[in-house]
Amino acid sequence: MRHLLPCLIALMGATSPVAAQTTLADTLANLGGEPCENSDLTCVTLTVPRDHRANDPSLTMQITFAVSFATEDSKGMLFYFVGGPGGSGLASADNYIAAFDESLSQNMDIVFVDQRGTGPVHGLACPVAQARFDSADASIDQPEAAIATAKTYVNDCIAELDVGDFLAVVNSDQAIRDSELFRQAIGAPKVWLYGESYGTQFVQGYATLFPDAVRGVIVDGVVDLNLSAEGFYSAYTRASESLLARTLQACATLPGCAQDMGRDAAQVYDDLAAQLKSGPIDIDLVLADGSTVQRKLTMGLLDANAFYALYGPDGRSGFLRVLAAAGRGNLVPMLQLGYSNMYIDPQTESGLADPSWFGAAYYAITCTDYDSGTGTPEERAAKIIEEAKAFAPNAPRLLRSYYLERLACAFWPYQGEAKRPEPFAGGDYPTLVLNGDADPITPISMAYSVMDNAANSYGVFMKGGPHVIWGRGLACPDTIVQDLLYSGALPSAKEQQCEQDLMGDYTPLTLTDPAMMGDPLAVAQAVDTELLQSIELGNWDGEDPITVGCDLGGTVTASATETGTDYVLKDCSFWPGLAVSGTGTETAEDGENDGIILTLSVSGAHSGEVGYIYSTADEAWTLTGTYDGKPAGITRTYP
């Protein structure tokens, strides 16, 4: 969830930006504000009631807020609520601020929060139970096993958490009241409320409970609060099913994709899914020490990979590359992508703790913000299975999205109210509704529903757009949002349309024709490509050195340098019959790849010692050395 803060003095008409910022800084200092750990933001920890409804002052807890001061004259305060539920606002704050146009941090005081259930103090995560649940096979054809999987997850997760009755007070209503106490503590300024994904649910609830607090509402990737749990899951499963079909069809239009796939992408996907429905597939996985272990690719991992790929253009094209590799018999990238999506350590197959994400908070909040029906947990679960069977024709590929989380909620110890909130009504302030039409989790139909019901509402919708559209570096919608925040300028029309490509660039598979292995330049370029496309290396934080296994044997080690990354390859095999050892140095400028230098020793079906230099700026490469006993010297600049 994301928060942004307007400077109280600026709102009161102060003329000195220095005085305004000083006053806000002094206010936070009086509340015990201090520099956030590993951040330039100012953190304030507020003591709040553990249960706002209990009127018991003896039971309290602490909630931490992080504030980014406007670097110029503040034009307002923005409360920024991130998605999830389960996302840590503080852990994400610096990344969010860096991703937006710098004018945002220049003009706005921005507030983030670790909502109750997230963060290092009271964060709810059960990574061991979560990893088992997320990767498990589940099918409505085996309803008792599916129900048992969900029940086991809830029991194991709660045991792993060991937080007593704290779960009873982890919900959106309590968290909204926490944030309102902070607003009151800093002088009760009117604030802009921005929410992305789950944050839109939070913002609508906040503005409804405390309308006098609101200067304006911006919701991005919108949840329709009026929908029941079944209605919400039905809507987004239909949307994701349709979007997956569009993504698979798009392969035919992407240079290299159709050739890599070899046949219709939908058929490749469906054939793999059919295999997995009959049971997991054993895969040999190379570990960091060079040893090989046997792992299992499950239907749960394929479902997760397909679903999470749909969130944006690059994910969609990246999934097609992994699917094409699977269609050619290499299932390692599909397994690695599943581990990445599900926060599973590839080395140990155990769940990973993530300081920015708290998976148990997702269920604690979701299961109490909605309800799972009446009756015992077993009766609720049985009804959900029956609904899934009836819904199945609408979701031939992603049916799991419709029912598995709901089964977990059926067994969660705390349930929400059956009555849904009334549609968000808006207010005298503007409500700006943002959504992509290719959003798999908050489909655009929800955004239209919210816009149609909210007073003084405007919509900005992106054709081909991802889940959450503001702050992606595109003038539309960014300029519209910024004009509203900085000057109060309302959008020029009730509804406006933006556009971006549905699919990102597709990176073709390398050396798919064995004859290409005889070309030393093709081999060197393929090594460069595979280093950039490695899923494990892509997840590396760029700090301590990391060693990962190559798909078919051997290892590669990456170490951060002041100017980029150094690589050491040891008998690394990305392709059958060919192994590569040697070193590489990748340079980067402002986070962008600037080129690479490789010194390689190739063995196997072909052999040689080659040096390769590629410069992104000059679009030129140079190859030296010998290969299969012949000179390999070439220099070329791209036309």
Side-chain angles (χ1 to χ4, degrees):
M1 126 188 359
R2 305 177 180 179
H3 310 193
L4 293 164
L5 299 168
C7 177
L8 175 60
I9 299 302
L11 287 173
M12 293 173 63
T15 58
S16 168
V18 175
Q21 181 160 310
T22 300
T23 301
L24 178 57
D26 287 347
T27 299
L28 296 179
N30 291 336
L31 292 171
E34 58 186 7
C36 300
E37 185 176 356
N38 301 319
S39 171
D40 292 332
L41 277 62
T42 296
C43 278
V44 173
T45 298
L46 204 65
T47 299
V48 303
R50 191 170 185 268
D51 184 350
H52 289 273
R53 297 178 179 275
N55 194 27
D56 185 350
S58 68
L59 295 177
T60 61
M61 62 182 295
Q62 293 186 321
I63 301 294
T64 300
F65 299 81
V67 181
S68 170
F69 297 115
T71 59
E72 298 180 3
D73 189 2
S74 175
K75 292 182 171 61
M77 185 174 290
L78 179 65
F79 276 24
Y80 195 115
F81 297 96
V82 302
S88 164
L90 270 63
S92 308
D94 286 322
N95 289 335
Y96 278 121
I97 291 172
F100 280 91
D101 185 271
E102 66 177 355
S103 66
L104 182 66
S105 57
Q106 291 170 344
N107 288 285
M108 303 297 294
D109 298 309
I110 309 172
V111 179
F112 298 86
V113 64
D114 270 349
Q115 177 179 345
R116 55 174 66 200
T118 71
V121 177
H122 45 69
L124 299 175
C126 52
V128 175
Q130 200 72 57
R132 295 195 192 110
F133 181 58
D134 289 340
S135 60
D137 282 327
S139 170
I140 58 171
D141 295 331
Q142 297 177 308
E144 292 182 359
I147 291 172
T149 295
K151 183 176 182 179
T152 298
Y153 161 69
V154 173
N155 291 337
D156 290 351
C157 181
I158 290 174
E160 192 176 339
L161 291 171
D162 191 24
V163 292
D165 62 355
F166 176 58
L167 293 176
V169 294
V170 179
N171 56 56
S172 295
D173 181 78
Q174 298 279 356
I176 288 168
R177 296 172 191 276
D178 294 338
S179 289
E180 174 59 11
L181 283 184
F182 177 75
R183 190 187 73 87
Q184 295 289 338
I186 60 172
K190 284 186 177 290
V191 299
W192 288 96
L193 299 177
Y194 170 81
E196 61 173 25
S197 193
Y198 159 74
T200 69
Q201 178 176 326
F202 193 100
V203 163
Q204 292 173 70
Y206 195 144
T208 300
L209 276 175
F210 303 105
D212 292 339
V214 183
R215 186 174 176 185
V217 164
I218 304 171
V219 286
D220 190 357
V222 184
V223 175
D224 181 359
L225 293 183
N226 197 228
L227 292 175
S228 65
E230 193 284 329
F232 173 75
Y233 282 93
S234 171
Y236 94 64
T237 303
R238 290 175 189 270
S240 59
E241 187 77 29
S242 173
L243 183 53
L244 177 57
R246 290 173 64 187
T247 298
L248 295 171
Q249 290 172 348
C251 179
T253 69
L254 297 175
C257 185
Q259 181 177 356
D260 284 349
M261 205 70 69
R263 53 200 175 101
D264 181 62
Q267 192 61 55
V268 175
Y269 181 92
D270 290 341
D271 286 351
L272 177 58
Q275 275 187 276
L276 291 170
K277 285 176 181 176
S278 64
I281 300 174
D282 291 331
I283 298 175
D284 290 332
L285 182 70
V286 181
L287 301 180
D289 63 3
S291 65
T292 299
V293 295
Q294 194 169 84
R295 295 284 174 77
K296 294 184 183 295
L297 179 66
T298 65
M299 190 66 211
L301 290 177
L302 177 63
D303 277 353
N305 289 345
F307 180 76
Y308 287 115
L310 303 176
Y311 274 55
D314 291 338
R316 296 163 196 153
S317 56
F319 175 72
L320 289 178
R321 187 179 197 270
V322 170
L323 181 63
R328 290 175 173 269
N330 182 7
L331 291 168
V332 173
M334 187 67 75
L335 180 68
Q336 291 281 21
L337 183 61
Y339 286 163
S340 175
N341 282 323
M342 297 291 97
Y343 296 92
I344 296 173
D345 185 348
Q347 303 302 314
T348 64
E349 209 173 14
S350 59
L352 289 167
D354 182 339
S356 67
W357 175 251
F358 296 85
Y362 175 89
Y363 286 94
I365 297 167
T366 298
C367 299
T368 51
D369 279 3
Y370 291 88
D371 84 299
S372 299
T374 58
T376 66
E378 288 74 14
E379 290 170 340
R380 294 196 293 261
K383 183 179 179 182
I384 291 168
I385 288 292
E386 291 306 310
E387 290 174 345
K389 289 179 178 179
F391 185 78
N394 299 295
R397 295 187 175 110
L398 296 176
L399 181 61
R400 179 187 177 108
S401 298
Y402 174 78
Y403 71 87
L404 195 60
E405 288 183 4
R406 295 175 62 205
L407 286 180
C409 281
F411 289 97
W412 200 258
Y414 301 97
Q415 297 287 306
E417 297 179 1
K419 187 178 186 303
R420 297 304 301 150
E422 294 297 320
F424 177 58
D428 294 338
Y429 50 80
T431 293
L432 183 60
V433 178
L434 310 174
N435 227 93
D437 76 347
D439 187 330
I441 185 70
T442 52
I444 198 168
S445 58
M446 295 191 195
Y448 275 114
S449 177
V450 171
M451 185 179 74
D452 289 345
N453 284 290
N456 300 306
S457 63
Y458 301 84
V460 180
F461 305 115
M462 180 175 285
K463 182 179 180 181
H467 176 55
V468 181
I469 66 173
W470 181 37
R472 305 286 177 140
L474 300 174
C476 181
D478 289 9
T479 300
I480 299 169
V481 178
Q482 291 159 8
D483 287 347
L484 179 62
L485 286 173
Y486 306 161
S487 66
L490 298 176
S492 59
K494 173 76 171 179
E495 179 180 335
Q496 296 183 69
Q497 296 288 333
C498 308
E499 185 172 0
Q500 74 167 129
D501 291 336
L502 177 70
M503 306 296 296
D505 292 336
Y506 177 84
T507 301
L509 300 176
T510 57
L511 305 186
T512 53
D513 181 352
M516 299 170 70
M517 299 182 190
D519 180 352
L521 177 60
V523 171
Q525 291 176 328
V527 170
D528 184 12
T529 297
E530 294 303 330
L531 291 174
L532 291 173
Q533 292 295 314
S534 167
I535 293 168
E536 274 197 275
L537 291 179
N539 290 330
W540 176 44
D541 62 11
E543 295 182 1
D544 295 333
I546 183 175
T547 300
V548 303
C550 302
D551 287 359
L552 303 180
T555 62
V556 56
T557 299
S559 304
T561 68
E562 290 185 0
T563 57
T565 306
D566 283 346
Y567 298 101
V568 176
L569 297 95
K570 183 177 180 181
D571 298 323
C572 180
S573 180
F574 295 113
W575 318 277
L578 205 68
V580 179
S581 296
T583 61
T585 297
E586 178 185 281
T587 57
E589 185 173 345
D590 296 328
E592 296 295 327
N593 189 314
D594 194 41
I596 194 167
I597 300 172
L598 296 172
T599 302
L600 305 175
S601 177
V602 183
S603 60
H606 299 272
S607 62
E609 307 285 335
V610 298
Y612 172 76
I613 302 174
Y614 171 66
S615 169
T616 303
D618 299 331
E619 293 192 84
W621 44 256
T622 299
L623 188 75
T624 59
T626 61
Y627 198 76
D628 286 341
K630 299 177 182 179
I634 307 172
T635 299
R636 180 176 299 173
T637 301
Y638 289 111

